Amino acid sequence: MVGGSGLRQLVHRTNFVQLVITRGFSTSGSSLSIKSGQQGYNFYTDVLKPTVFGVGASAVVFSVAATVCDRKQEEQRASWGRGTLLGRVQTGSKLSPPDLKFLSKLPAGAVRDTAVSLLVRWRSLQPHQQTLYGITGINLLVLAGWRFRALQGFMQRNFLHHFPPVPTRMYTLLTSTFSHQTLPHFFFNSVALVSFGSGVHDRLGSEQFLAVFVAGGLASSVVSHLARVKRRPGGASLGSSGAVYAVFAMMAYFEPQAKAQFIFLPGVPIALANLFPCLVLLDVVGALSKWRILDHWGHLGGALFGYVYARYGQTAVWGHRDKLSLPSS
């Protein structure tokens, strides 16, 4: 198992926010053992299963996102028709009828008052804040799980993606995206997500952004996995930077003239159109040179997905979301 994790730091000069992207290797040993007969390469378990899972899970995520988006738009149209939205604007209420229904089921007193206060504050946030803080909250919960010694076995089995010949649980291609073992790792990726996520979110909307984030994480994990099936080094990888790299790639595509600063060139702002390919080149060199601090293959997988989706996805995928959306019951 490879210890430690490295950092890559960018400073987004448009709003002068700090961005750090990190996907690294696990800093702890694995509790999973290699069974007899698992050491050799197997196309079905090593290549086909993770690829099918990654593609299938991404399709499901986009289908769910399209369905939620369509249902939300239907509810908004119906609400305008009933005048309920106008009433909410006039009264200044941040709570929707489902919110009020949920609150009515809580016991009166301090519990309900606290829930009302928290829900009003949550509804007061901008849509991109709700999305980005929600992702950060999930990452924080997973990070908390790593803090408990009694949960170490559970966390290693379910929130690390193990490379062959260690047995691989396919769903960890997804769960490892939300997993950080150390506070600095969590902090840097969270700062990176919030830094560039808002601009991309405003272009995509909540549902499409979430689908892209999850699919970018899956692409990162699948590419990282496939790059190691022949060498079979063992070990494990985790972190959100593959998904964040997808967001960064989209930001570079949408706003190529936005300025950022690379950590190794402090004080020198660089247009994203130039910085993004430089960082990709750095990861290519790291991957081919087998640098073992960062998961460079994972970075490349996320970056490739983000760029391709920014260029083609909104038209080829989201532009046909009526075909992705599940039928109403």
Side-chain angles (χ1 to χ4, degrees):
M1 193 71 65
V2 179
S5 63
L7 307 178
R8 182 178 297 106
Q9 185 178 47
L10 310 172
V11 180
H12 180 35
R13 288 291 183 175
T14 302
N15 296 310
F16 199 76
V17 289
Q18 190 176 37
L19 173 66
V20 185
I21 306 177
T22 308
R23 182 177 175 95
F25 298 101
S26 172
T27 58
S28 65
S30 173
S31 63
L32 302 183
S33 60
I34 304 173
K35 299 179 181 179
S36 177
Q38 290 180 327
Q39 292 88 344
Y41 168 77
N42 183 289
F43 175 79
Y44 174 72
T45 58
D46 292 340
V47 177
L48 188 60
K49 281 183 66 176
T51 302
V52 171
F53 179 89
V55 173
S58 296
V60 170
V61 167
F62 273 100
S63 179
V64 171
T67 302
V68 172
C69 183
D70 287 347
R71 299 292 187 276
K72 183 184 293 186
Q73 290 181 350
E74 291 173 2
E75 291 176 0
Q76 289 175 344
R77 287 192 293 267
S79 296
W80 280 112
R82 295 192 301 266
T84 56
L85 285 181
L86 179 60
R88 286 169 57 194
V89 171
Q90 291 174 339
T91 60
S93 173
K94 297 291 185 180
L95 302 181
S96 64
D99 294 334
L100 298 175
K101 183 178 180 180
F102 165 75
L103 293 171
S104 67
K105 297 179 180 179
L106 298 178
V111 173
R112 183 182 296 178
D113 291 343
T114 301
V116 169
S117 177
L118 292 175
L119 198 52
V120 168
R121 290 189 179 187
W122 177 257
R123 295 304 184 194
S124 299
L125 296 175
Q126 296 296 317
H128 73 267
Q129 292 175 315
Q130 292 181 352
T131 301
L132 299 177
Y133 294 168
I135 294 173
T136 302
I138 294 173
N139 291 347
L140 182 60
L141 288 175
V142 178
L143 173 67
W146 284 108
R147 301 300 94 199
F148 294 94
R149 184 179 298 273
L151 295 179
Q152 291 304 296
F154 173 83
M155 299 301 294
Q156 289 180 16
R157 289 190 299 272
N158 297 288
F159 288 93
L160 286 178
H161 182 69
H162 295 270
F163 301 128
V166 179
T168 299
R169 300 186 178 204
M170 291 300 107
Y171 59 81
T172 61
L173 291 165
L174 173 61
T175 58
S176 65
T177 296
F178 298 91
S179 182
H180 303 82
Q181 286 183 316
T182 65
L183 185 59
H185 193 189
F186 161 79
F187 174 77
F188 292 137
N189 278 340
S190 297
V191 170
L193 175 62
V194 174
S195 296
F196 281 150
S198 59
V200 177
H201 184 284
D202 290 343
R203 287 177 174 267
L204 302 185
S206 299
E207 294 80 17
Q208 186 180 188
F209 180 90
L210 283 170
V212 166
F213 183 85
V214 173
L218 285 165
S220 170
S221 296
V222 170
V223 170
S224 177
H225 177 97
L226 295 180
R228 293 171 172 83
V229 295
K230 286 293 188 180
R231 292 191 293 113
R232 310 184 70 75
S237 180
L238 75 170
S240 296
S241 68
V244 175
Y245 244 102
V247 175
F248 175 50
M250 297 187 75
M251 186 67 178
Y253 183 84
F254 293 145
E255 301 288 344
Q257 298 309 312
K259 302 294 184 180
Q261 183 177 315
F262 189 37
I263 186 174
F264 298 124
L265 296 173
V268 182
I270 306 173
L272 296 185
N274 298 322
L275 181 58
F276 174 67
C278 288
L279 294 180
V280 169
L281 178 60
L282 179 63
D283 277 313
V284 169
V285 173
L288 296 180
S289 300
K290 300 179 182 179
W291 294 347
R292 296 172 64 83
I293 298 177
L294 295 177
D295 186 353
H296 295 284
W297 284 111
H299 290 172
L300 291 172
L304 177 62
F305 175 84
Y307 178 80
V308 171
Y309 191 88
R311 186 164 185 175
Y312 304 108
Q314 287 186 281
T315 301
V317 178
W318 202 249
H320 299 280
R321 73 171 185 271
D322 56 319
K323 298 179 181 179
L324 295 173
S325 181
L326 301 174
S328 303
S329 58

